[in-house]
Amino acid sequence: MGKILNSGYGAIFGSYWVIYAVVSSFASVFMLAKGYTNSQIGITLAAANVLAVVMQPLIADFVDRSKRLDVMGTTGIMTVCMMVFTVGMFTFKGGSLGLCVVFVLLIAFHTVLQPLFNSLAFRLEDAGVAINFGIARSVGSLAYSIFVAVFGTIVEHLGINVMPVASELACLMLIASLLFTAHYFKKGKAQSQKGREAVYGKSHEEDAKASEEVENINLIQFIKRNRMFFVMNLGVLGLFFSNAVLNNYMAQICTGVGGTTEDMGRILGVMAFLEIPAMVFFKQLRNKFSCQLLLKAAAIGFTVKIAICWLANSVVMLYIGQLFQPVSFALFLPGMVYFSDEMMSRGEAVKGQALFTTMITITTIFATLFGGMILDASGPKMLTFISTLATAAGALIIIFAIDRVKSNKNA
């Protein structure tokens, strides 16, 4: 049962990141080909993330409190909605408001899924199975790296009309993964519950459920109880500015040093592939080093990576910058997932993930909105320079605040 649930969880991440590749990483490629300017692309991407910021805490709170729909049911419905939105990529003309709305909805819904999938690891453990988040997330990186490396070449030769087809297929893969995982989760949880009842009696199970319900708190209470964790997440605003720039405007950055869409796909592929070792062995790293130390190292790694991209004068230099991916994003993402779980009580679990992802979404709003404007006004060099300053500022805040975060695990 353990191998099956871990495989299902990995398949969910694999499908999720393939969708991300199409609707986010290649969004600029699609919209530039459809006649939009960088500023218009930036406004569209920013609007998508504004909607995601509004949706994330509401959806997280709904999942925490709902007795009818669990995480997998909610994400399944949202994925079906994404399939409906993708049809608009076939039907709306380039330069139209309708096509912009399609991207706003696709990216917003996709962004909201991330904290839900992050927290799903701890829900799956209710079935009595230890879920390895690092390995599962590395499956997502592997799927993304292979896909973007190949997809960049496909788009370069066949054109952008292959994008909506790829998006629909990836959504179908995600739905299949969710159904598979949900089936074995229910089966495993039923077996686990019978085992607990045999040892403790039914009243113990009911008391546990009641205790879990009491622990659920609203978002305002969460921030009050976790003030320094909130300050630390303000640092995420600066740190992930460069991450948003590289993910959304790599096509323009590559072009600025003489590259192509094919180069963009390969660079993103290398970036994602290099994440895999750190994520696979993150549990071993966490056994030797604290989450605090790993997150500090990652904050420095983010800064070095974007600084190299700013100084780059060739495609080769952009590749060199990605060598810092294993000690930046690859450490920070699982580090924050485990750090949040270590510090938060059970009723705060989804909200802790949602706050982190909301901060990433907020900085993506600024990075995409102003990034497009900066590209039109001053080009990619200025954009990567500003990104370096923002990332360095965020790193300093995280390094200052992280050791001051207090645990509410047993509060």
Side-chain angles (χ1 to χ4, degrees):
M1 183 66 70
K3 289 183 178 179
I4 292 174
L5 279 177
N6 272 285
S7 297
Y9 190 48
I12 287 171
F13 270 112
S15 304
Y16 173 86
W17 285 102
V18 169
I19 298 171
Y20 176 83
V22 179
V23 304
S24 291
S25 296
F26 280 81
S28 285
V29 174
F30 189 88
M31 297 187 75
L32 283 171
K34 289 289 185 177
Y36 295 93
T37 66
N38 288 310
S39 295
Q40 290 170 330
I41 293 170
I43 291 169
T44 301
L45 298 179
N49 286 282
V50 168
L51 179 58
V53 167
V54 174
M55 290 176 62
Q56 278 174 339
L58 298 176
I59 296 296
D61 195 57
F62 171 79
V63 172
D64 269 347
R65 297 174 183 272
S66 176
K67 296 180 180 179
R68 294 183 179 181
L69 275 178
D70 59 7
V71 174
M72 283 177 279
T74 303
T75 53
I77 292 171
M78 293 177 68
T79 305
V80 171
C81 290
M82 289 173 63
M83 293 185 71
V84 175
F85 302 150
T86 300
V87 175
M89 292 176 70
F90 291 105
T91 56
F92 289 110
K93 294 180 179 180
S96 68
L97 177 62
L99 188 57
C100 290
V101 171
V102 165
F103 270 97
V104 167
L105 293 173
L106 276 172
I107 295 171
F109 272 62
H110 185 272
T111 302
V112 172
L113 289 176
Q114 184 169 326
L116 299 179
F117 288 150
N118 288 351
S119 64
L120 180 58
F122 307 108
R123 298 295 178 94
L124 291 176
E125 289 182 349
D126 288 344
V129 175
I131 298 295
N132 192 318
F133 176 83
I135 291 178
R137 178 59 182 79
S138 71
V139 173
S141 294
L142 178 62
Y144 177 89
S145 67
I146 295 171
F147 181 82
V148 293
V150 174
F151 198 57
T153 303
I154 292 173
V155 172
E156 187 75 24
H157 290 86
L158 300 181
I160 59 169
N161 290 327
V162 298
M163 289 180 58
V165 176
S167 178
E168 295 286 21
L169 291 174
C171 285
L172 284 173
M173 289 168 52
L174 179 54
I175 290 172
S177 301
L178 286 166
L179 291 173
F180 174 85
T181 305
H183 171 74
Y184 284 98
F185 169 63
K186 289 176 182 177
K187 193 175 180 180
K189 191 174 182 181
Q191 292 174 354
S192 179
Q193 183 173 335
K194 285 181 182 179
R196 284 194 296 267
E197 287 180 5
V199 176
Y200 299 106
K202 190 173 181 180
S203 60
H204 176 85
E205 187 71 23
E206 291 172 346
D207 289 344
K209 289 180 180 179
S211 175
E212 183 177 333
E213 289 177 1
V214 168
E215 282 191 302
N216 284 329
I217 60 173
N218 63 40
L219 194 60
I220 301 301
Q221 290 172 318
F222 171 83
I223 293 173
K224 287 181 178 178
R225 287 181 61 177
N226 301 278
R227 286 187 177 89
M228 197 53 66
F229 181 78
F230 179 74
V231 172
M232 178 188 163
N233 272 271
L234 292 178
V236 171
L237 289 174
L239 195 71
F240 273 76
F241 188 94
S242 61
N243 192 66
V245 165
L246 294 178
N247 284 335
N248 290 285
Y249 293 120
M250 183 59 81
Q252 291 90 328
I253 294 169
C254 278
T255 302
V257 293
T260 64
T261 300
E262 191 170 8
D263 291 319
M264 182 205 81
R266 290 174 179 174
I267 288 171
L268 292 177
V270 168
M271 182 195 303
F273 185 77
L274 290 173
E275 297 171 358
I276 296 171
M279 290 187 174
V280 168
F281 296 106
F282 186 81
K283 277 197 170 182
Q284 287 86 339
L285 287 171
R286 194 167 65 107
N287 290 336
K288 293 185 177 181
F289 307 102
S290 67
C291 280
Q292 288 90 331
L293 180 61
L294 292 173
L295 289 171
K296 288 176 185 178
I300 295 170
F302 267 110
T303 308
V304 175
K305 183 178 75 171
I306 188 60
I308 292 174
C309 292
W310 163 48
L311 296 171
N313 55 13
S314 67
V315 173
V316 173
M317 281 286 285
L318 293 179
Y319 277 110
I320 292 172
Q322 307 322 307
L323 295 177
F324 286 85
Q325 189 74 352
V327 289
S328 56
F329 183 85
L331 284 184
F332 203 90
L333 181 65
M336 276 298 288
V337 171
Y338 281 104
F339 181 69
S340 299
D341 185 60
E342 288 174 4
M343 295 295 166
M344 307 291 112
S345 63
R346 185 171 179 80
E348 299 173 318
V350 174
K351 292 182 183 68
Q353 302 299 334
L355 177 62
F356 169 53
T357 311
T358 297
M359 291 302 182
I360 294 176
T361 308
I362 290 172
T363 196
T364 302
I365 292 170
F366 287 105
T368 51
L369 179 60
F370 294 110
M373 295 177 183
I374 293 167
L375 281 170
D376 281 340
S378 304
K381 272 292 180 187
M382 180 59 69
L383 178 58
T384 50
F385 171 66
I386 292 172
S387 299
T388 301
L389 296 179
T391 302
L396 289 173
I397 293 172
I398 289 169
I399 291 170
F400 166 80
I402 193 167
D403 290 329
R404 293 168 174 79
V405 177
K406 295 181 179 178
S407 174
N408 285 323
K409 192 72 176 179
N410 300 313

